[in-house]
Amino acid sequence: IINSVVLLILLSALTDPDQYHLTSAELGGEFEFMDDANMCIATAISLLMILICAMATYGAYKQHAAWIIPFFCYQIFDFALNTLVAISVLVYPSTIQDYLRQLPNNFPYKEEIMSVNPTCLVVIILLFISIILAFKGYLISCVWNCYRYINSRNNSDVLVYITTNDTAV
């Protein structure tokens, strides 16, 4: 559902670019926020995500385990990227302050966030990222358990024991 909403926003931005255009003065920098090429790439990624989520839903509904694998791979990739973000925050904590300085002046609570002790800010951000990583890990285990459940249900290897008075086969 979230991917569909993002896709609708991106498509409306492509049809009416003046409505979503931010000038470099509003952004406080020398770069454009979203040009048409970035919009098209974001639209393609959003369509791909909708397709992958639909495949996972169809695979779970119809009990086809192979249809769940692309969604599982996406989750692993997303978890790995978020882990790299956490590691970069841990290794280079000064980048948070640099990032905050680059935000537009009208960004909500920018001054309040910048006034927080940098060490405390790093701990808060790492705690937040850790909670997100734990939740993503839980969701990965849910998808993996769904895959294993469907695989075991569709597995036709059933052991049959025939017992007689003397032997068991």
Side-chain angles (χ1 to χ4, degrees), residues 94-131:
S94 62
T95 57
I96 295 171
Q97 294 294 330
D98 295 338
Y99 176 73
L100 289 173
R101 276 188 227 103
Q102 292 175 359
L103 289 174
N105 291 332
N106 60 354
F107 190 81
Y109 306 110
K110 178 182 176 182
E111 296 302 321
E112 290 84 357
I113 295 171
M114 293 214 29
S115 66
V116 174
N117 183 2
T119 306
C120 184
L121 187 62
V122 168
V123 169
I124 291 170
I125 290 174
L126 284 176
L127 181 66
F128 183 71
I129 291 173
S130 299
I131 291 169

